[in-house]
Amino acid sequence: GENVEQHPSTLSVQEGDSAVIKCTYSDSASNYFPWYKQELGKRPQLIIDIRSNVGEKKDQRIAVTLNKTAKHFSLHITETQPEDSAVYFCAPRQGSNYKLTFGKGTLLTVNP
Amino acid sequence: EPEVTQTPSHQVTQMGQEVILRCVPISNHLYFYWYRQILGQKVEFLVSFYNNEISEKSEIFDDQFSVERPDGSNFTLKIRSTKLEDSAMYFCASSGTGGGYGYTFGSGTRLTVV
């Protein structure tokens, strides 16, 4: 099955700084690469996703980059704000089924 | 914005009892899923359901688990004889056409087995 590694496990930044979280996966058939934000006690919420035929996608302060050859994709958050504090999960999806395999999560803390 | 609705939000049950967790997926979605998250851990896939049958299930989804879509709107997860280790947050999700992109998760049911 898919093996997903996410780094770092915790990340603390000052407000206004950038944050980068990296996700590596093992299944070369993966073709959809979402990032989820989860606040304490709440559901995972999709914040950005990218498909395998695209290298980069940006949505305001959030971007995702994909390197299919190296089997990794990264979440970039610029101009971080305290409300960005949450756990972030990558969850690549394999090609032949629609199962998401979640990483272990990154706890992002943005200090005011 | 369309939502996936889950009931109940909290459920406490005695070990060995049966529980049914209920979900109403987004109305035009075709793919349905259950995931669970033990407190402080990652989200784990349990089962996917399409065209009225299970399309994939994980090792966690053993004979104690079953899913059903009894009518056109509800999607249920049944645990026949709950164990302490079944205590977790259970999330239902659904996704639409076009390859199952754009998952939407429900707000979850916190199951506590005592």
Side-chain angles (χ1 to χ4, degrees):
Chain A
E2 175 89 278
N3 185 34
V4 178
E5 298 283 339
Q6 203 176 317
H7 297 281
S9 56
T10 61
L11 180 59
S12 182
V13 299
Q14 288 299 122
E15 183 176 359
D17 287 351
S18 295
V20 181
I21 304 169
K22 184 175 177 179
C23 183
T24 60
Y25 61 95
S26 60
D27 190 342
S28 56
S30 293
N31 61 6
Y32 173 65
F33 307 93
W35 283 96
Y36 285 87
K37 176 183 180 182
Q38 188 179 36
E39 295 173 345
L40 191 63
K42 300 211 174 159
R43 76 186 85 186
Q45 286 200 295
L46 178 69
I47 56 169
I48 197 164
D49 56 12
I50 194 167
R51 300 182 187 185
S52 57
N53 58 344
V54 177
E56 183 174 353
K57 181 177 175 181
K58 192 172 180 181
D59 182 5
Q60 299 182 7
R61 297 187 297 108
I62 295 171
V64 54
T65 57
L66 172 64
N67 184 330
K68 279 216 82 179
T69 304
K71 291 190 222 165
H72 67 73
F73 62 112
S74 297
L75 175 68
H76 306 255
I77 307 174
T78 58
E79 300 171 30
T80 53
Q81 300 165 2
E83 51 265 39
D84 294 329
S85 297
V87 179
Y88 291 82
F89 292 96
C90 63
R93 194 200 78 178
Q94 292 148 314
S96 60
N97 59 60
Y98 303 131
K99 175 180 79 175
L100 299 178
T101 302
F102 281 75
K104 290 185 177 179
T106 297
L107 175 61
L108 173 65
T109 304
V110 181
N111 301 300
Chain B
E1 190 173 325
E3 286 193 347
V4 174
T5 306
Q6 286 187 245
T7 54
S9 56
H10 294 90
Q11 173 104 36
V12 181
T13 190
Q14 295 272 347
M15 192 169 55
Q17 294 296 304
E18 175 183 286
V19 294
I20 297 176
L21 310 184
R22 303 181 190 279
C23 170
V24 179
I26 293 173
S27 61
N28 63 350
H29 281 185
L30 300 176
Y31 303 87
F32 314 113
Y33 318 86
W34 283 100
Y35 289 80
R36 80 170 186 191
Q37 186 177 32
I38 294 171
L39 188 63
Q41 298 187 21
K42 67 177 180 179
V43 179
E44 299 174 290
F45 170 79
L46 291 178
V47 65
S48 58
F49 192 87
Y50 170 71
N51 202 24
N52 285 320
E53 61 183 20
I54 290 174
S55 48
E56 185 172 357
K57 58 184 180 180
S58 72
E59 293 175 354
I60 303 167
F61 195 89
D62 61 21
D63 292 344
Q64 293 301 311
F65 290 86
S66 63
V67 289
E68 214 177 29
R69 189 157 162 80
D71 53 41
S73 60
N74 291 287
F75 179 52
T76 61
L77 174 70
K78 182 194 289 186
I79 310 175
R80 285 192 187 81
S81 178
T82 50
K83 303 188 279 281
L84 295 176
E85 53 265 38
D86 293 327
S87 295
M89 182 73 95
Y90 288 80
F91 291 106
C92 173
S94 67
S95 65
T97 56
Y101 298 114
Y103 270 62
T104 302
F105 282 84
S107 54
T109 294
R110 180 163 297 285
L111 177 66
T112 302
V113 182
V114 297

